[in-house]
Amino acid sequence: MTTTPTYEELEAKARALELELAESKKQDNTIIRLLSEDFKQLADRSQDAIYQFDIESQTFPFFNQQFLSLYAMEENGVKILSPKSVLVHIHPNDREKVKAARTLSLQPQNKIGEAEYRFLNADGSQRVMHDRWTVVRDHGGQPIAIEGFIRDNTWRKQAEKEFERSIRNSLIGCYIVQDATFKYVNPEFMRITGYSEEELIGTDPLNIVQQEYRRQVNENFIKMVKAERIFPYEFCISDKFGNTKWILETATSIQYEGRRAALGYFMDISKGKQVEKERLAKEKLLTALELAGAVGHELNNPLQVVLTCTEKLALVSDDNERSFRLHSLLKKNIEKMRKIIHKFQNITQYATKDYVDGKKIIDIDAASSKTSRK
């Protein structure tokens, strides 16, 4: 049989439950406080400046030590953080750019924003800062806070300047491609192509490549950037003045302005190609001369015998009209053969002419004269 608890018993149970809930809440608060302290310590160890900015109150509810040391102003011996203290550390010529980026990020369709600007140190020196932030919104989509990370990119900018200085003074044509367009070209590249920096920047690199080479150049370029190819490749370009130039190129993947890009090394090998062409022409000429010498030597003596026999046959063939005509024809063609052999012996250059089925043969007349027809 159950008994109904008295009022005093119910009151005691309620008090005990309250104590239990209070203890549980105290433990939860302790855990939250410990987690917050751990996060704060982690944030303070970061080399990036971390902050949270409340839009309504125009205050910074959260910031790490790096943000405080960079952007605070000292008033009466106390470091104060405010929108004004942040603004005075931004170079005057960059303030409007930063404000515009912040305003753009607060528009309804945007969730993030970023800006790079020059930071002014107390001693007047400058750094380059890259600020990236996330916009926090309420259930209605209205922006209520901004949470961001600011990274010191001074070393990267200096490295990029040193890199650009080195390739600018390079004796080899160099260029940087990003988003399939030229982002940088050095003076030697402009000299080779004949185009100015203004004409090249922002254009497709394949525009200067001759049409029949574009597909292969694109494939080789991608393979080199992906480290799937290690050997340079050759192709032809048309410079600004319509001249054809032979190019030897290599490419590699780099970081440019904080993003992936490709660096190309671009060498004009047209003179080398001309030297190679002349070398091949000399080899062909040597072959033609050797052939001509062999033909002249091997055919000259037999031809003299044929010519002598023809002269003797003429004595017995004068009475026969048909024999006379055949003798005259034979003598005429023997003379023609003699002249051809003479031309072989006087070959001084390599020249060809078109033959059947797209083939070419040695042009004896041109090869034995002062001018040649290639």
Side-chain angles (χ1 to χ4, degrees):
M1 179 178 179
T2 53
T3 58
T4 303
T6 64
Y7 175 79
E8 290 77 9
E9 290 174 336
L10 291 174
E11 187 178 22
K13 286 184 177 181
R15 195 178 302 112
L17 183 60
E18 287 178 0
L19 290 173
E20 185 180 345
L21 290 172
E23 184 64 26
S24 177
K25 186 176 181 181
K26 182 179 179 181
Q27 292 177 356
D28 290 343
N29 289 337
T30 301
I31 293 173
I32 292 173
R33 180 176 55 79
L34 291 174
L35 289 174
S36 297
E37 290 176 356
D38 287 343
F39 177 77
K40 177 65 175 174
Q41 292 175 4
L42 178 64
D44 285 340
R45 288 195 294 268
S46 173
Q47 295 182 353
D48 294 336
I50 305 173
Y51 66 92
Q52 182 187 66
F53 179 69
D54 183 79
I55 296 175
E56 183 178 6
S57 64
Q58 295 289 290
T59 60
F60 293 92
F62 176 85
F63 50 86
N64 69 346
Q65 286 295 328
Q66 182 73 346
F67 187 81
L68 179 66
S69 65
L70 288 171
Y71 293 94
M73 292 178 61
E74 193 166 315
E75 295 181 5
N76 300 321
V78 179
K79 289 186 175 181
I80 304 297
L81 271 175
S82 67
K84 179 182 177 181
S85 72
V86 173
L87 191 63
V88 297
H89 284 94
I90 299 176
H91 194 285
N93 294 340
D94 294 339
R95 290 173 186 171
E96 288 302 320
K97 176 178 69 174
V98 175
K99 287 180 180 179
R102 185 62 55 88
T103 300
L104 180 63
S105 70
L106 296 178
Q107 293 181 0
Q109 71 273 19
N110 296 328
K111 297 180 180 179
I112 60 174
E114 64 178 320
E116 189 169 78
Y117 55 85
R118 287 165 289 179
F119 177 92
L120 298 175
N121 292 306
D123 61 1
S125 60
Q126 298 181 13
R127 306 188 201 182
V128 178
M129 295 297 191
H130 187 247
D131 188 353
R132 298 191 67 181
W133 61 86
T134 300
V135 179
V136 181
R137 300 179 183 272
D138 60 19
H139 294 298
Q142 293 299 313
I144 57 175
I146 292 173
E147 298 174 343
F149 291 79
I150 302 176
R151 175 159 295 178
D152 188 342
N153 277 347
T154 306
W155 67 270
R156 180 177 62 78
K157 281 294 183 181
Q158 290 175 343
E160 287 181 355
K161 287 182 179 179
E162 290 297 327
F163 172 72
E164 289 187 8
R165 187 179 296 113
S166 67
I167 63 176
R168 183 171 61 250
N169 298 326
S170 174
L171 298 177
I172 298 175
C174 299
Y175 63 88
I176 295 175
V177 172
Q178 195 175 64
D179 300 326
T181 59
F182 284 122
K183 295 297 181 181
Y184 174 84
V185 291
N186 76 339
E188 179 62 11
F189 185 87
M190 290 184 277
R191 187 195 68 79
I192 293 172
T193 63
Y195 291 98
S196 66
E197 184 177 18
E198 292 74 18
E199 291 172 316
L200 290 168
I201 298 300
T203 65
D204 186 343
L206 290 175
N207 287 349
I208 62 174
V209 179
Q210 292 186 358
Q211 187 68 41
E212 61 267 32
Y213 293 96
R214 289 182 182 179
R215 183 185 61 81
Q216 193 63 43
V217 167
N218 188 55
E219 291 178 359
N220 289 332
F221 185 88
I222 292 173
K223 286 180 180 179
M224 292 212 75
V225 170
K226 292 182 176 180
E228 295 175 358
R229 179 189 174 98
I230 60 174
F231 299 107
Y233 48 92
E234 299 178 2
F235 58 93
C236 286
I237 68 164
S238 296
D239 68 11
K240 184 177 180 179
F241 311 103
N243 301 315
T244 294
K245 292 184 177 180
W246 276 98
I247 302 299
L248 182 70
E249 184 174 79
T250 64
T252 186
S253 178
I254 63 168
Q255 288 289 316
Y256 183 70
E257 296 185 345
R259 296 173 53 223
R260 186 179 179 185
L263 170 65
Y265 293 97
F266 190 88
M267 293 171 281
D268 184 356
I269 58 170
S270 301
K271 290 183 179 179
K273 283 286 186 180
Q274 182 61 33
V275 170
E276 177 66 12
K277 185 178 179 180
E278 291 174 358
R279 185 187 66 80
L280 291 174
K282 288 179 180 179
E283 289 182 357
K284 290 178 179 179
L285 175 60
L286 181 60
T287 301
L289 291 173
E290 291 174 347
L291 176 62
V295 169
H297 176 74
E298 295 297 331
L299 294 183
N300 203 37
N301 290 336
L303 186 62
Q304 284 298 117
V305 173
V306 173
L307 183 61
T308 301
C309 293
T310 303
E311 293 293 338
K312 291 183 177 181
L313 287 174
L315 299 176
V316 298
S317 59
D318 287 345
D319 297 335
N320 188 306
E321 184 178 349
R322 179 173 177 275
S323 296
F324 178 77
R325 287 200 307 271
L326 290 176
H327 178 267
S328 298
L329 183 62
L330 179 61
K331 189 175 181 180
K332 179 180 178 181
N333 280 276
I334 289 174
E335 179 61 20
K336 186 175 181 181
M337 289 174 64
R338 189 188 65 78
K339 290 180 179 180
I340 292 174
I341 291 174
H342 180 74
K343 288 179 180 179
F344 268 106
Q345 293 174 329
N346 285 279
I347 287 178
T348 58
Q349 54 197 350
Y350 181 80
T352 61
K353 62 182 179 181
D354 294 331
Y355 194 54
V356 296
D357 298 328
K359 297 179 181 179
K360 289 184 178 292
I361 59 173
I362 293 178
D363 188 337
I364 300 173
D365 290 327
S368 59
S369 66
K370 293 184 179 181
T371 60
S372 63
R373 293 173 294 174
K374 301 290 181 176

